[in-house]
Amino acid sequence: MISRQLFPNSKGNALIGVFQRSLLYNSSTLSSQLRPQSFQKVQCLHTRPLNQAKEARLHADIDVKETKEAPHFMKMYTTGELWRYTLLSFVTAQPWLLKLAIKVLPYTPVFLVRFFVCPVYTGGENFSQVRETGVKLLNRGITNMMLSYAVEDADGKLDKAELKASVEMIKQSVNEVLVKEYELAESRFENGQMLTSPASGYVALKPTGIMENSADILANFDNPAYAEQYAKYLDVCRDICAHAKEHGKGKVVIMFDAEKLWLQKGVYDAQRRMMKEFNSNSQVIVAGTLQMYLKHSVDLLKYEIEEAKKGKYQLAMKLVRGAYTHSEPTRDRDIHACKKDTDDSYNEGTAIMLESLASSWKSGDRNGPVSRLIVASHNAESCDIVAKKVRSMAPAGLDLSTNEDVVYGQLLGMSDDQSLELTRRGLKVVKYVPWGPAKATKEYLTRRLEENGDAARGGWDHFFRGCKELMSRTVS
């Protein structure tokens, strides 16, 4: 058992917003991506045969160059999408504009949020719209999604029936969206229309949003008085994972998202139990999350690998930097003091996982302790470090264009230029896509700005480039 000192309890707010989860990727830029209205208007990026330039792209370094022209992803937008994107680039350009947006958004009618904002940051309100978003991403070379249902019990107001309905929506997203997205990507890859083979789809599971009193249960998971409640909590987790195993055709992963530190010990225990139960015989059904800005995360990762070795199951982990710097009451004690230390921790974590993967590659043992690394980052340097290590460690005969042991995860509406560059190199990228009723996503967007507004800045450059692209279309 890991020492309680690694996971001190604090009297913070237990129920946090979906936005904090989505910004676990620690983006420093906001390059918005709109959800197109008609996929017939978007031309597929990868229409050339697979044998042309694939090897060169797989061995290229990430290169997101600054130019005076509109970024390539802007040119792929319809005029309506580009107009929305440019407007929101203006809104996120300065801190005072963000503060104004935070104050106005809660009072903005839902129909305006649905029209102006949701197409940038969310996948839609129903399965049909989310599938359409998936097709748009697929047309840009991104072969699957990491879905997050935006309805949550952040303030403890949802009743048992509402939470049960949310769990059902989460489960149905497996077969209604993610499996279909994989099958479409597979068909395009086999027909030579895409450079990158399909990636598994992911369900981002919010640990505090799947049953009543989840936060209280997680905070007291090892308290005998909560044993019955925790067992019921694990049953809900097990039901979701079992659905993915049965209906996901081996191509859908349930990924536990992170919470605030005082809840994390319970989250780690739950995700560890589910991986031990479902990840065997080289099959990945469950993945967890580690926040590498926490000082103990490198040691914790080593512990998790040792547990996987002893338990003879496969560890799948999403490594993120972290999102709760400003809200963690014990941040001075538990969070790295500077960005460099966080970067070093993140890069060390990916190196540890890659070393274990490389050992399995060389031995041919697909049942090693580490089965998948999800590089959840908008940091180009970290992505490049991982890509170079994979190339240097991969033995001859390992097809990196089809191998899914390393996947890159980035947010819908952020760093689309980098996402496209990764896909052009044949690397697997999934976009984190929140979805659900417009009212719920409006609340999600409000929390997103309130809790992580400092990550949504620097929009002037793309605002002016968007204006230039709009003008060029007007005169052409």
Side-chain angles (χ1 to χ4, degrees), residues 201-220:
Y202 295 79
V203 174
L205 189 66
K206 182 64 175 172
T208 55
I210 61 175
M211 69 176 287
E212 290 179 297
N213 303 317
S214 293
D216 191 37
I217 294 170
L218 288 169
N220 295 278

Side-chain angles (χ1 to χ4, degrees), residues 197-428:
S197 62
S200 294
Y202 295 79
V203 174
L205 189 66
K206 182 64 175 172
T208 55
I210 61 175
M211 69 176 287
E212 290 179 297
N213 303 317
S214 293
D216 191 37
I217 294 170
L218 288 169
N220 295 278
F221 82 102
D222 55 353
N223 185 335
Y226 284 77
E228 183 177 352
Q229 295 181 62
Y230 188 54
K232 292 180 179 179
Y233 180 88
L234 293 175
D235 283 342
V236 176
C237 296
R238 187 173 293 109
D239 179 47
I240 295 171
C241 296
H243 184 91
K245 182 177 181 179
E246 180 180 356
H247 299 280
K249 300 183 178 181
K251 300 303 178 183
V252 177
V253 178
I254 303 299
M255 186 204 71
F256 282 74
D257 253 328
E259 294 282 0
K260 285 186 177 180
L261 184 57
W262 73 289
L263 298 174
Q264 275 302 132
K265 191 175 181 182
V267 175
Y268 290 146
D269 184 79
Q271 68 186 25
R272 188 182 303 120
R273 287 172 181 264
M274 293 302 108
M275 280 190 277
K276 186 174 183 178
E277 185 170 338
F278 288 92
N279 291 1
S280 60
N281 299 320
S282 74
Q283 187 176 38
V284 178
I285 300 296
V286 182
T289 298
L290 289 183
Q291 301 174 94
M292 303 308 295
Y293 74 166
L294 296 173
K295 293 178 181 179
H296 67 252
S297 288
V298 169
D299 290 337
L300 177 59
L301 178 57
K302 295 175 181 177
Y303 172 88
E304 295 291 356
I305 293 175
E306 288 302 315
E307 286 295 295
K309 287 180 181 178
K310 290 188 292 185
K312 296 183 179 180
Y313 62 91
Q314 281 76 60
L315 184 72
M317 277 290 181
K318 179 186 72 172
L319 299 191
V320 302
R321 278 173 165 78
Y324 307 128
T325 301
H326 302 299
S327 58
E328 285 289 1
T330 62
R331 57 184 174 273
D332 292 339
R333 181 184 66 195
D334 296 308
I335 295 177
H336 287 298
C338 64
K339 182 179 184 299
K340 182 183 183 302
D341 290 346
T342 296
D343 291 342
D344 291 344
S345 174
Y346 190 90
N347 295 333
E348 184 178 356
T350 59
I352 290 170
M353 293 199 71
L354 286 174
E355 287 173 4
S356 182
L357 282 172
S359 177
S360 297
W361 293 340
K362 292 176 182 178
S363 67
D365 181 12
R366 298 298 300 166
N367 293 314
V370 173
S371 59
R372 186 163 303 173
L373 165 62
I374 305 166
V375 185
S377 176
H378 293 171
N379 186 299
E381 182 178 357
S382 289
C383 292
D384 200 33
I385 288 172
V386 171
K388 288 179 179 178
K389 285 182 178 292
V390 170
R391 293 198 303 265
S392 66
M393 293 177 170
L398 180 66
D399 188 352
L400 295 178
S401 69
T402 58
N403 185 276
E404 203 173 348
D405 294 344
V406 180
V407 179
Y408 299 83
Q410 299 176 333
L411 294 172
L412 181 68
M414 288 190 180
S415 296
D416 292 341
D417 48 357
Q418 184 177 327
S419 297
L420 292 181
E421 178 60 28
L422 290 167
T423 63
R424 289 191 199 104
R425 295 173 54 202
L427 303 176
K428 287 182 170 56

Side-chain angles (χ1 to χ4, degrees), residues 19-233:
F19 170 58
Q20 287 178 311
R21 171 181 69 220
S22 71
L23 283 203
L24 289 172
Y25 300 93
N26 193 31
S27 171
S28 61
T29 60
L30 181 67
S31 56
S32 300
Q33 174 181 342
L34 303 178
R35 182 171 59 83
Q37 302 299 317
S38 174
F39 70 84
Q40 292 90 345
K41 297 180 182 178
V42 182
Q43 183 178 1
C44 181
L45 276 176
H46 305 299
T47 57
R48 64 180 63 188
L50 291 180
N51 60 352
Q52 295 184 15
K54 180 176 76 172
E55 188 68 17
R57 289 181 178 184
L58 286 172
H59 289 79
D61 293 339
I62 296 174
D63 184 17
V64 184
K65 295 181 178 179
E66 290 294 330
T67 70
K68 294 182 179 180
E69 302 300 322
H72 185 66
F73 71 89
M74 284 189 189
K75 296 181 181 295
M76 300 174 66
Y77 290 159
T78 66
T79 300
E81 295 161 4
L82 182 60
W83 179 79
R84 289 185 181 92
Y85 166 81
T86 304
L87 175 64
L88 288 171
S89 293
F90 172 80
V91 172
T92 60
Q94 288 290 322
W96 69 269
L97 287 171
L98 277 171
K99 291 179 182 179
L100 179 62
I102 291 171
K103 292 181 180 180
V104 171
L105 188 58
Y107 307 100
T108 304
V110 170
F111 78 91
L112 290 177
V113 176
R114 179 185 288 120
F115 181 78
F116 286 105
V117 185
C118 286
V120 178
Y121 297 113
T122 74
E125 298 185 62
N126 53 51
F127 292 137
S128 176
Q129 292 176 352
V130 179
R131 284 195 297 267
E132 181 184 346
T133 297
V135 172
K136 305 309 178 180
L137 292 173
L138 195 60
N139 288 338
R140 296 166 187 174
I142 296 170
T143 58
N144 222 315
M145 298 175 285
M146 187 177 290
L147 297 182
S148 174
Y149 191 54
V151 174
E152 62 171 60
D153 196 22
D155 50 11
K157 293 181 179 180
L158 296 183
D159 58 29
K160 183 177 180 180
E162 290 173 310
L163 287 168
K164 185 176 181 180
S166 293
V167 169
E168 288 303 310
M169 294 296 285
I170 291 169
K171 290 163 57 179
Q172 288 305 311
S173 68
V174 170
N175 34 296
E176 290 294 330
V177 179
L178 294 175
V179 170
K180 294 180 179 180
E181 178 79 353
Y182 184 92
E183 292 174 344
L184 180 57
E186 185 176 44
S187 174
R188 291 191 180 187
F189 179 70
E190 292 175 350
N191 292 333
Q193 294 176 295
M194 297 190 68
L195 174 67
T196 310
S197 62
S200 294
Y202 295 79
V203 174
L205 189 66
K206 182 64 175 172
T208 55
I210 61 175
M211 69 176 287
E212 290 179 297
N213 303 317
S214 293
D216 191 37
I217 294 170
L218 288 169
N220 295 278
F221 82 102
D222 55 353
N223 185 335
Y226 284 77
E228 183 177 352
Q229 295 181 62
Y230 188 54
K232 292 180 179 179
Y233 180 88

